[in-house]
Amino acid sequence: MAIAAQHLRARFARPGFELFDHRIFALVSDGDMMEGVASEAASLAGHLQLGNLIYLYDDNHITIDGSTAITFSEDVCKRFEAYGWHIQVVEDGNDLTAIGSALARACAELTRPSLIRVRTHIGYGSPHRQDSSEAHGKALGAEEVKLTKRNYGWPTEAEFYVPARALAHFRQARDRGARWEAEWNGAMERYANRYPQEAAEFRRMLAGELPSGWDEALPEFTVKDNLATRESASRAQQAIAARLPELFGGSADLNESTFTDVKDGGDFEPQNYGGRNLHFGIREHAMCAALNGMAYHGGIIPYGSSFLVFTDYCRASIRLSALAGLHVIYVFTHDSIGLGEDGPTHQPIEHLTSLRAIPNLVVIRPGDANEAVQAWRVALTHRGGPVLLALSRQKVPTLDRAAMAPATELSKGGYVLCESAGKRPDIILIGTGAELHLAVEAKTVLERQGAAVRVVSMPSVELFAAQERAYQEAVLPAAIKRRVAIEAGASLSWYRWVGSDGDIVGIDRFGASGPYTEVLKYFGFTVENLVERARRLLAG
Amino acid sequence: MAIAAQHLRARFARPGFELFDHRIFALVSDGDMMEGVASEAASLAGHLQLGNLIYLYDDNHITIDGSTAITFSEDVCKRFEAYGWHIQVVEDGNDLTAIGSALARACAELTRPSLIRVRTHIGYGSPHRQDSSEAHGKALGAEEVKLTKRNYGWPTEAEFYVPARALAHFRQARDRGARWEAEWNGAMERYANRYPQEAAEFRRMLAGELPSGWDEALPEFTVKDNLATRESASRAQQAIAARLPELFGGSADLNESTFTDVKDGGDFEPQNYGGRNLHFGIREHAMCAALNGMAYHGGIIPYGSSFLVFTDYCRASIRLSALAGLHVIYVFTHDSIGLGEDGPTHQPIEHLTSLRAIPNLVVIRPGDANEAVQAWRVALTHRGGPVLLALSRQKVPTLDRAAMAPATELSKGGYVLCESAGKRPDIILIGTGAELHLAVEAKTVLERQGAAVRVVSMPSVELFAAQERAYQEAVLPAAIKRRVAIEAGASLSWYRWVGSDGDIVGIDRFGASGPYTEVLKYFGFTVENLVERARRLLAG
């Protein structure tokens, strides 16, 4: 959120119009301090000199299993100082004056994020639970609530009791908030008069509306283009980025391989918050968590890139984007054993399946350059949740769309790519990604041998599953039971679509290191093997 | 590894026999310094005062996308000091004397882990690549190799060249290593004479052999026991731990909920490395990474526990244990929406499926108390890879094994739990975990209505898939096409086993917060719904 705020401020603030100088406050716990993702984020925030970010650290010394003394004896303030943060300590969490002063100093600090360590007591005022882990995991219970209220000097009878002074205090906040909002809106009106174009763009971006013509320069590829889908997707992204200033993001130290750096976009760095390319460092989890923050903030369509296998590092944040319905775009390349030499540690096997299993996440694995373009189109137009692109490292042929269905059909998730020349198909071959062309080539071989073959491209299982039953039936008719799916990933994804009588050319073991052509051949991702498996079904 | 070494030392070292005082050296990079898991691990190592752990930080200022200056400006030494580490700096990575002295000082430091920051130059001596990111991601190429060798004053012709002085130097290491090994073996022999029992146990543990009688005290549960599987599994674990000293592990701050703390095992802490219970703190990823280290080290069977949904935080390490074939045991409780009030952030949906997709990982979701006991048996006897137990928070009835197949059948992954009373089944109900008893109860209802029903318990899809085809056919005959699977998780796991004509009672959206009975009912995990779905199949 702090990143998004700095970026929008750099883009839209004008002399006399400091409309975008809001701050991001976070309440953080011992658990947040221990989790690795928070360490990554704090290191990045310090590096980026995010002076608009302020943490209040609720330092209560208690976790679920007991005192933090049993697990956590580091010097948190010193650690954050090492990250480049501004540090303050408030020794008494009930000293509102001290907290107020610390917050004021934190707000005055413009070039460092702020940590305010506040010593608090969990279950404060509860005679038997204060400073105990029981106050974390369990409700106090009626009797202890009563004792606690007595301890506060409160009436013990009312189940929900708010002291009159507290109510009055918080009601002030309501009025003050309304006044501040009106002031801001007034200033925004004056800004809009003075800078109508900027204001219109800001409002459009905040509303999440795409500008007209955003997709006019999308590339079209021909059969002459023999490109990795990471490359064709990158060209699509560049064409979009040129017309869509809110497309903002970066890579976890793999721009050299994922090709997601926006050309001439500038780097987002302390001296240039207007830059659109954020170098996240080797911090996949903080990257994806930050993408969620940017999407929550609004005004930005955030994307992040890495290798598909590294989704394991940031899965918790990918899941949150799906749960929260955030418009986040993930670009994960090197999407199979087809990446070659880096070997099993870098070769995803189960990742496509495990990502498809996340509710409300749309996974797209485009099968050629033109599908990659359409994948980016879906990534921008899809609403209500994140979209993840899985892209190849290795080159794949661009399919001859003159003789096949158009790549725009990708928006339906699955579609008949090439039909069996007027005849009822004997068999359906289903392919995705870099293996799709193998299905097309196998069709040619099988038809030479007399079989009628339909090829279905299925770049997104989720989008296909969301289609009406009639469309699904048209693409995969129940009566055609001979089906073979081919994908260089776990076969678990495909039983649903090939059915009891079908077959799957997948990979259910860890990969191997070698030139990618050899590795793919070794594991059976060849026209020959696909033809052979199809022939077995046809004979059976 | 450092944890395992300290523990074994505390258990086996005797006065005059400091056989187990080896140290763990790690070479770490900028990437390691940035990744969150390493921050968690370093914080934990500092807290545990692991003086036997020494990092050499290869501080070369270069990552794949360029200089670390674009992403990483924190003070690493200060951060590690905050964790409680001993810090040294060597400014010249080619100063072997300085490195040697620093290592000696690090070895002399017994109560703090050591960080030695060594300033190095990537691609050292390469005229055009030194200190550049190209030296990270790309091979130098023939020409640059030649120039580099010339720069070293080496002959440029030989493709593989080792200077004679270097060879002689490294050959010394070979002889010295052989001498040290012989000395250690001799000392171990003397130790074995003096402490025969300890030596025998140490050797047994290191060989990964279970002691005879390890499973003699395993509990058996009766229909009177209405227990969550986290509870029954815990009782099994306690019975095993009492006879298996090498069972060592802990929880990421959820012992209160996962029940994996070994009774009277003591806490592993700086004052008591002989303790068997390690409090990992709120650091799931470091926990699982450390389990891998312990398994690599040997002499320990490590386990770790948390909630199933938090496997997302440590997935990269779970995958590595599977890839490396390590004997690690994962205990993940709160394994479905059946956990109730904590709601969607804590309710796993896709996790069972996504874990099953990992090659070489055995996932077991026991269906009642006696299956939970057998799950622990498999966890200890399985070789060649990790085992993950998925356990319920909520109570489940203990099935009446007198009328059903014994729980020991769990070792086959799936088995016929109750047969359709002599008749050929009209339908097969497949269940796992806390939903298994629903299948048993639905059978009763359906049989009252005249259907012949088989119930299959399928606690481990992987173990079942590894059985011979004939056994699989006996449990799930191809001819019986009416099948319903029930599991409170993503349905993706089940298409393979129910086939084209089957049905699945699963959940493919995020959960909801509420009392668990209400939540389960809302999502259709009831006898009524299962009966209804089965009746539809029977009618169809």
Side-chain angles (χ1 to χ4, degrees):
Chain A
M1 289 177 171
I3 289 165
Q6 294 285 27
H7 181 65
L8 292 175
R9 185 184 188 199
R11 287 215 46 215
F12 290 103
R14 294 289 180 275
F17 290 99
E18 289 297 336
L19 274 163
F20 311 100
D21 58 350
H22 55 285
R23 289 175 188 81
I24 312 299
F25 295 90
L27 300 176
V28 305
S29 69
D30 291 308
D32 299 310
M33 287 304 181
M34 285 191 248
E35 289 283 3
V37 58
S39 295
E40 293 179 10
S43 174
L44 183 60
H47 173 79
L48 294 174
Q49 303 176 17
L50 299 175
N52 58 342
L53 179 62
I54 299 169
Y55 280 10
L56 286 156
Y57 169 28
D58 177 17
D59 182 24
N60 66 26
H61 295 207
I62 293 296
T63 70
I64 291 176
D65 279 352
S67 159
T68 50
I70 65 172
T71 55
F72 191 54
S73 48
E74 64 171 62
D75 182 338
V76 171
C77 288
K78 187 171 183 175
R79 171 157 68 94
F80 274 71
E81 217 169 74
Y83 293 142
W85 286 51
H86 175 251
I87 311 295
Q88 299 178 79
V89 176
V90 173
E91 287 298 352
D92 175 5
N94 291 315
D95 184 344
L96 298 183
T97 311
I99 293 176
S101 307
L103 283 170
R105 280 190 295 269
C107 288
E109 168 63 49
L110 299 178
T111 58
R112 286 180 292 176
S114 273
L115 174 71
I116 307 173
R117 182 167 73 75
V118 186
R119 176 68 171 103
T120 59
H121 296 274
I122 195 167
Y124 178 75
S126 156
H128 304 102
R129 297 289 176 75
Q130 179 174 322
D131 297 319
S132 86
S133 59
E134 288 191 327
H136 184 133
K138 288 181 193 151
L140 288 183
E143 189 50 34
E144 187 69 13
V145 165
K146 198 168 279 183
L147 294 174
T148 305
K149 286 183 174 171
R150 188 167 299 154
N151 198 19
Y152 294 160
W154 288 7
T156 56
E157 296 316 309
E159 199 170 353
F160 294 104
Y161 172 73
V162 181
R165 275 182 60 202
L167 186 65
H169 183 77
F170 279 99
R171 281 285 150 83
Q172 284 176 33
R174 195 178 61 170
D175 297 339
R176 189 178 53 208
R179 195 172 68 243
W180 285 352
E181 187 182 355
E183 284 172 16
W184 194 90
N185 285 332
M188 186 69 201
E189 278 309 315
R190 290 191 295 281
Y191 177 84
N193 289 333
R194 178 87 174 73
Y195 303 101
Q197 218 175 329
E198 285 83 349
E201 179 142 286
F202 175 76
R203 285 166 168 163
R204 180 189 64 72
M205 284 163 56
L206 210 63
E209 288 160 9
L210 300 175
S212 68
W214 70 273
D215 58 350
E216 273 173 10
L218 280 174
E220 267 194 65
F221 296 97
T222 72
V223 290
K224 285 181 207 146
D225 299 308
N226 190 28
L227 296 171
T229 55
R230 62 172 167 156
E231 174 75 33
S232 44
S234 170
R235 300 231 198 132
Q237 185 198 343
Q238 297 297 342
I240 293 165
R243 290 163 180 241
L244 206 66
E246 63 265 44
L247 192 65
F248 176 100
S251 171
D253 198 48
L254 283 174
N255 268 321
E256 290 297 307
S257 299
T258 60
F259 306 151
T260 52
D261 212 47
V262 171
K263 279 191 197 87
D264 307 320
D267 286 349
F268 179 91
E269 51 190 12
Q271 295 72 38
N272 180 31
Y273 286 139
R276 300 170 61 177
N277 295 304
L278 205 169
H279 296 282
F280 288 99
I282 302 157
R283 305 180 181 104
E284 298 82 6
H285 202 167
M287 174 176 76
C288 290
L291 300 180
N292 291 348
M294 292 177 213
Y296 266 126
H297 183 280
I300 277 177
I301 301 176
Y303 71 89
S305 76
S306 181
F307 289 170
L308 186 64
V309 79
F310 297 147
T311 51
D312 280 349
Y313 283 100
C314 43
R315 208 173 147 83
S317 289
I318 295 174
R319 181 177 211 254
L320 275 182
S321 69
L323 178 55
L326 298 173
H327 192 193
V328 171
I329 301 171
Y330 304 104
V331 182
F332 288 106
T333 68
H334 295 56
D335 71 350
S336 80
I337 53 169
L339 64 84
E341 287 83 352
D342 275 352
T345 53
H346 284 54
Q347 290 170 345
I349 300 291
E350 70 278 20
H351 299 79
L352 289 167
T353 294
S354 70
L355 290 162
R356 287 172 182 147
I358 298 178
N360 198 37
L361 171 66
V362 170
V363 177
I364 309 181
R365 186 170 186 247
D368 77 343
N370 289 309
E371 279 197 7
V373 173
Q374 297 306 317
W376 259 105
R377 180 190 293 280
V378 172
L380 285 163
T381 54
H382 183 72
R383 290 292 176 275
V387 175
L388 185 150
L389 310 187
L391 304 170
S392 77
R393 176 192 186 229
Q394 75 270 33
K395 288 187 197 311
V396 296
T398 300
L399 300 172
D400 180 9
R401 296 285 167 173
M404 303 179 197
T408 48
E409 292 288 287
L410 169 137
S411 65
K412 297 174 186 159
Y415 62 98
V416 178
L417 178 68
C418 2
E419 193 44 289
S420 53
K423 286 198 290 185
R424 178 183 180 283
D426 300 314
I427 191 167
I428 299 175
L429 305 181
I430 307 170
T432 85
E435 292 76 62
L436 177 60
H437 75 96
L438 299 176
V440 174
E441 291 162 39
K443 172 185 161 75
T444 306
V445 176
L446 287 163
E447 294 200 330
R448 218 180 292 136
Q449 298 172 356
V453 181
R454 169 183 290 187
V455 175
V456 167
S457 175
M458 184 84 85
S460 175
V461 169
E462 300 78 41
L463 293 177
F464 185 68
Q467 302 302 313
E468 296 197 351
R469 191 61 72 96
Y471 177 77
Q472 294 176 357
E473 170 66 18
V475 176
L476 296 176
I480 306 177
K481 295 193 182 306
R482 294 189 182 100
R483 304 176 189 174
V484 187
I486 182 163
E487 180 174 81
S491 51
L492 190 48
S493 281
W494 296 103
Y495 289 97
R496 176 175 183 185
W497 306 107
V498 300
S500 305
D501 301 312
D503 196 4
I504 301 163
V505 179
I507 175 168
D508 294 302
R509 49 154 284 187
F510 292 106
S513 176
Y516 79 88
T517 46
E518 294 297 310
V519 172
L520 287 168
K521 196 174 159 190
Y522 179 77
F523 288 110
F525 296 97
T526 61
V527 176
E528 294 68 35
N529 185 43
L530 181 55
V531 166
E532 172 58 27
R533 301 278 281 268
R535 281 167 57 88
R536 263 187 249 168
L537 275 198
L538 287 165
Chain B
M1 289 179 170
I3 290 166
Q6 294 286 28
H7 181 65
L8 293 175
R9 186 184 187 199
R11 289 214 46 212
F12 291 104
R14 293 290 180 276
F17 291 99
E18 290 296 337
L19 272 164
F20 310 101
D21 60 348
H22 55 286
R23 290 175 188 81
I24 311 299
F25 295 89
L27 301 176
V28 305
S29 68
D30 291 307
D32 297 313
M33 287 303 181
M34 283 192 249
E35 289 284 2
V37 58
S39 295
E40 293 180 9
S43 174
L44 183 61
H47 172 79
L48 294 173
Q49 303 179 18
L50 299 174
N52 59 340
L53 179 61
I54 298 168
Y55 280 10
L56 286 154
Y57 169 26
D58 177 18
D59 181 23
N60 66 28
H61 294 208
I62 293 295
T63 70
I64 290 176
D65 280 351
S67 159
T68 51
I70 65 172
T71 54
F72 190 54
S73 46
E74 64 170 63
D75 182 339
V76 171
C77 287
K78 188 170 182 176
R79 170 157 68 96
F80 274 70
E81 217 168 74
Y83 293 141
W85 286 51
H86 175 250
I87 311 295
Q88 298 178 79
V89 176
V90 172
E91 286 298 352
D92 175 5
N94 291 315
D95 184 345
L96 298 183
T97 312
I99 293 175
S101 307
L103 283 171
R105 280 188 296 268
C107 289
E109 169 64 50
L110 298 179
T111 59
R112 286 180 291 175
S114 273
L115 174 72
I116 307 173
R117 182 168 73 75
V118 185
R119 177 68 170 106
T120 59
H121 296 273
I122 196 167
Y124 179 75
S126 156
H128 304 102
R129 299 287 176 78
Q130 178 174 323
D131 297 319
S132 86
S133 58
E134 288 191 325
H136 184 133
K138 289 181 192 151
L140 288 183
E143 188 51 33
E144 188 69 13
V145 164
K146 197 168 280 181
L147 294 174
T148 306
K149 286 183 174 174
R150 188 168 299 153
N151 197 19
Y152 293 159
W154 288 7
T156 57
E157 295 316 311
E159 199 170 352
F160 295 103
Y161 172 71
V162 180
R165 274 182 61 203
L167 185 65
H169 183 79
F170 280 98
R171 282 283 150 83
Q172 281 177 36
R174 194 177 62 170
D175 296 341
R176 189 178 53 208
R179 195 173 66 244
W180 285 352
E181 185 182 356
E183 282 171 17
W184 194 91
N185 285 333
M188 185 68 202
E189 277 308 315
R190 289 190 296 281
Y191 176 86
N193 289 334
R194 178 85 174 74
Y195 303 101
Q197 218 174 331
E198 286 83 347
E201 179 143 282
F202 175 77
R203 284 168 169 160
R204 180 189 64 72
M205 285 163 54
L206 211 63
E209 288 160 9
L210 299 175
S212 66
W214 69 273
D215 58 351
E216 273 173 11
L218 280 174
E220 266 193 66
F221 296 97
T222 72
V223 290
K224 287 182 207 147
D225 298 308
N226 190 28
L227 295 170
T229 54
R230 62 172 167 156
E231 173 74 35
S232 44
S234 170
R235 300 230 200 132
Q237 185 198 342
Q238 296 298 342
I240 294 165
R243 291 164 180 239
L244 207 66
E246 63 264 44
L247 192 64
F248 176 99
S251 171
D253 196 48
L254 284 173
N255 267 322
E256 291 297 307
S257 299
T258 61
F259 307 151
T260 52
D261 212 47
V262 170
K263 282 192 194 84
D264 308 319
D267 285 349
F268 179 91
E269 51 189 11
Q271 296 71 36
N272 181 31
Y273 287 138
R276 298 169 63 176
N277 294 306
L278 205 168
H279 295 284
F280 288 99
I282 303 158
R283 306 181 181 102
E284 297 83 7
H285 202 166
M287 174 176 76
C288 290
L291 299 181
N292 290 349
M294 293 176 212
Y296 266 126
H297 183 279
I300 277 177
I301 301 175
Y303 72 90
S305 77
S306 182
F307 289 169
L308 186 63
V309 80
F310 297 147
T311 51
D312 280 348
Y313 283 101
C314 43
R315 209 174 145 83
S317 289
I318 295 174
R319 180 178 213 251
L320 275 182
S321 69
L323 178 54
L326 298 173
H327 192 195
V328 172
I329 300 172
Y330 304 104
V331 182
F332 288 106
T333 68
H334 295 55
D335 71 349
S336 80
I337 52 169
L339 64 84
E341 287 82 351
D342 275 353
T345 53
H346 284 55
Q347 291 169 345
I349 300 291
E350 71 276 22
H351 300 78
L352 289 167
T353 294
S354 69
L355 291 162
R356 286 172 181 145
I358 298 177
N360 198 38
L361 171 66
V362 171
V363 177
I364 310 181
R365 186 169 187 248
D368 78 342
N370 289 310
E371 279 197 6
V373 173
Q374 296 308 316
W376 259 104
R377 181 192 293 280
V378 172
L380 285 163
T381 54
H382 182 72
R383 290 292 178 272
V387 175
L388 185 149
L389 310 187
L391 305 170
S392 77
R393 175 191 186 231
Q394 75 271 35
K395 288 186 196 312
V396 296
T398 299
L399 300 172
D400 179 10
R401 296 286 167 173
M404 304 179 197
T408 48
E409 293 287 287
L410 170 137
S411 65
K412 296 173 186 160
Y415 62 100
V416 179
L417 178 67
C418 1
E419 193 45 289
S420 53
K423 286 199 292 184
R424 180 184 178 282
D426 301 313
I427 191 165
I428 300 175
L429 306 180
I430 308 170
T432 84
E435 293 75 61
L436 177 60
H437 75 97
L438 299 177
V440 174
E441 292 161 39
K443 172 185 161 77
T444 306
V445 177
L446 288 164
E447 294 199 331
R448 223 181 289 137
Q449 299 171 354
V453 181
R454 170 183 289 187
V455 175
V456 167
S457 176
M458 185 83 85
S460 176
V461 169
E462 299 77 44
L463 293 177
F464 185 67
Q467 301 303 313
E468 295 198 352
R469 191 61 72 97
Y471 176 77
Q472 294 176 357
E473 170 66 19
V475 176
L476 296 176
I480 305 177
K481 294 194 184 304
R482 293 188 182 99
R483 303 176 191 174
V484 188
I486 183 164
E487 181 173 80
S491 50
L492 190 48
S493 281
W494 296 103
Y495 289 96
R496 178 174 182 185
W497 306 107
V498 301
S500 305
D501 301 311
D503 196 4
I504 302 163
V505 179
I507 175 167
D508 293 303
R509 49 155 284 187
F510 292 106
S513 175
Y516 78 88
T517 46
E518 294 298 310
V519 173
L520 287 168
K521 197 175 160 190
Y522 179 77
F523 288 111
F525 296 97
T526 61
V527 176
E528 294 68 35
N529 185 44
L530 181 55
V531 166
E532 172 58 27
R533 300 279 282 267
R535 281 167 57 86
R536 261 186 252 168
L537 274 197
L538 287 165

